[in-house]
Amino acid sequence: MARTPSNMLALGTSFSSFTLWDTTSQKTKSFDEAKGEKGTVLFFICNHCPFVHHVMEEVVRIVNDYRVQGIGFIAISSNDIENYPQDAPDLMTDFAFNNKFNFPYFYDETQEVAKIYDAACTPDFYLFDANDRLVYRGQLDDSRPNNGIVVSGSDLRNAIDAILYNRKINDLQKPSLGCNIKWK
């Protein structure tokens, strides 16, 4: 497990639309079909990463807390499944079901979407406002496996709250840290 930080895509970057296979609905979907009215959280995860497993319960809580407030959520796995078969789409479906996903979990087979967003690790979070502009990127919070800090989702929650309540988003944003994306 390589501890890899986020690349921290430039704030203000416009969302680049895509259409991918959604392993939760078993349909091809676009960004426009999954985005939220007030903002969208795009996050890169995978089935086997211990950093993802560490935060997944809180991520689902965040989705449930904010989806009803107009925030959309989109998970993407871009890992090479030939060398990492545990991240294959059928197992993504199982992972989504077992973790009670009520949002799309897209499979980025060509890895093009990960490259567009300069994604580096899992988990890696991106928050876009209602105008599809990047306003937050980086970590969920300071918790990591075995560091003794309780998972709270505080960094992402604060950024989402800022969108919803028209507050300034903190410019000091910390990179996420996780397993590297498994490139082909």
Side-chain angles (χ1 to χ4, degrees):
M1 146 176 87
R3 295 173 63 93
T4 303
S6 300
N7 286 328
M8 303 300 278
L9 187 66
L11 294 174
T13 298
S14 294
F15 194 95
S16 293
S17 194
F18 56 79
T19 300
L20 294 171
W21 180 255
D22 173 22
T23 63
T24 59
S25 68
Q26 301 298 306
K27 297 178 183 175
T28 300
K29 288 187 179 176
S30 70
F31 165 69
D32 289 329
E33 292 173 278
K35 77 178 193 172
E37 178 184 329
K38 295 181 181 175
T40 305
V41 176
L42 171 72
F43 53 106
F44 290 86
I45 62 172
C46 71
N47 300 340
H48 79 276
C49 174
F51 290 89
V52 170
H53 287 260
H54 180 69
V55 301
M56 205 69 255
E57 190 174 309
E58 178 61 21
V59 169
V60 171
R61 261 194 301 273
I62 289 171
V63 171
N64 291 331
D65 289 347
Y66 290 103
R67 193 171 48 96
V68 296
Q69 297 183 57
I71 302 296
F73 291 86
I74 301 169
I76 299 176
S77 179
S78 299
N79 278 359
D80 169 18
I81 64 169
E82 286 191 31
N83 291 308
Y84 297 87
Q86 63 270 45
D87 290 327
D90 60 324
L91 297 176
M92 291 171 61
T93 302
D94 294 344
F95 185 80
F97 178 79
N98 291 334
N99 285 282
K100 299 177 176 68
F101 285 15
N102 56 5
F103 53 89
Y105 186 15
F106 289 122
Y107 174 49
D108 180 19
E109 181 177 10
T110 66
Q111 302 182 316
E112 287 178 33
V113 175
K115 290 174 186 171
I116 289 169
Y117 292 100
D118 203 18
C121 62
T122 58
D124 207 352
F125 297 90
Y126 302 78
L127 173 61
F128 294 86
D129 65 15
N131 297 316
D132 300 337
R133 296 269 183 214
L134 184 65
V135 295
Y136 178 82
R137 76 285 195 244
Q139 69 177 11
L140 183 70
D141 58 31
D142 289 324
S143 184
R144 305 290 184 266
N146 303 314
N147 77 353
I149 298 173
V150 175
V151 178
S152 67
S154 60
D155 290 42
L156 182 59
R157 284 180 180 275
N158 288 337
I160 294 170
D161 285 343
I163 284 178
L164 292 173
Y165 302 111
N166 204 23
R167 297 182 198 144
K168 183 178 178 346
I169 295 177
N170 190 344
D171 291 334
L172 297 173
Q173 300 177 7
K174 297 177 185 177
S176 189
L177 183 70
C179 298
N180 62 301
I181 289 183
K182 310 305 188 231
W183 300 105
K184 293 181 182 182

